């Protein structure tokens, strides 16, 4: 069983990343952790004030439903899917998070673009790269399988095109 960390901006694109990771990992059973980092409060007043967690408004019913749907869609590959956040932006703090959650792999594609969804959101790029945890940067592509009737139709079109070219020359 692998513990996989997937960065999330709470959008459907995060679930696309998780789904691509599931396809890439094949038949391996995964514990998926959807992850978002927030800046540590700087002033004491920020710690004392009673305020909502920064992710409070981001954890919508749609987000929760997407988590359930992903688990239902891949019951053999997905053991658990959870959301976890981190207060901090240093590689050392992130390393402690990784160790505490037994993260084996971070899904971090080459084309990943961080999207700040809260004023305290932190770009995880440096933390991921310095964590010494393997990064899943590229995914297996879904190959389109051509069935025999499709091949025949393509061949027929090619033969018709060749006949037209021969007739004009």
């Amino acid at each position: 069983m692998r513990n996989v960390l997937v960065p999330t901006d709470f959008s459907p694109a995060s679930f696309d990343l998780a789904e691509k990771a599931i396809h890439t990992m094949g038949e391996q059973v995964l514990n998926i952790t959807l992850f978002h980092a927030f800046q540590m409060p700087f002033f004491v007043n920020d710690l004392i004030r009673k305020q909502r967690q920064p992710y409070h408004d981001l954890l919508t019913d749609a987000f929760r439903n997407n988590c359930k749907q992903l688990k239902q869609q891949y019951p053999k590959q997905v053991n658990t899917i959870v959301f976890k956040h981190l207060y901090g932006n240093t590689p050392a703090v992130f390393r402690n998070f990784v160790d505490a959650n037994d993260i084996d792999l971070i899904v971090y594609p080459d084309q990943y673009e961080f999207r700040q969804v809260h004023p305290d959101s932190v770009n995880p790029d440096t933390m991921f790269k310095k964590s010494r945890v393997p990064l899943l940067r590229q995914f297996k592509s879904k190959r389109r399988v051509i069935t025999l009737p499709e091949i025949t139709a393509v061949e027929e079109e090619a033969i018709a095109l060749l006949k037209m070219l021969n007739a004009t020359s």
Side-chain angles (χ1 to χ4, degrees), residues 111-145:
Q111 68 276 8
Y112 178 78
E113 289 185 31
F114 169 72
R115 197 182 85 162
Q116 188 171 5
V117 294
H118 186 275
D120 292 336
S121 291
V122 172
N123 188 341
D125 183 65
T126 304
M127 295 186 295
F128 287 176
K129 289 179 180 174
K130 292 186 176 183
S131 69
R132 291 180 265 134
V133 175
L135 302 175
L136 180 59
R137 305 290 291 199
Q138 296 180 350
F139 302 105
K140 289 181 183 175
S141 62
K142 293 181 184 176
R143 293 186 181 167
R144 182 172 172 256
V145 178

Side-chain angles (χ1 to χ4, degrees), residues 144-159:
R144 182 172 172 256
V145 178
I146 299 175
T147 60
L148 191 57
E150 289 178 284
I151 292 172
T152 306
V154 169
E155 288 175 341
E156 288 174 356
E157 288 178 17
I159 292 168

Side-chain angles (χ1 to χ4, degrees), residues 11-78:
S11 71
S14 304
F15 294 97
D16 291 343
L17 274 180
E19 191 170 3
K20 287 178 182 178
I22 292 167
H23 288 291
T24 300
M25 300 304 288
E27 296 299 317
Q28 291 188 44
V29 178
L30 306 175
N31 292 321
I32 298 174
T33 301
L34 296 168
F35 171 82
H36 195 85
F38 296 97
Q39 193 71 267
M40 188 70 140
F42 186 71
F43 296 105
V44 174
N45 290 343
D46 293 337
L47 294 171
I48 295 172
R49 269 188 293 166
K50 293 265 183 184
Q51 58 179 301
R52 289 185 190 181
Q53 300 293 340
Y55 55 84
H56 182 270
D57 294 329
L58 300 170
L59 287 175
T60 62
D61 287 338
F63 182 85
R64 288 181 180 93
N65 288 336
N66 282 338
C67 289
K68 289 177 187 174
Q69 183 180 10
L70 194 64
K71 183 154 173 49
Q72 290 171 351
Q73 190 174 355
Y74 301 99
K76 292 182 181 178
Q77 290 101 335
V78 178

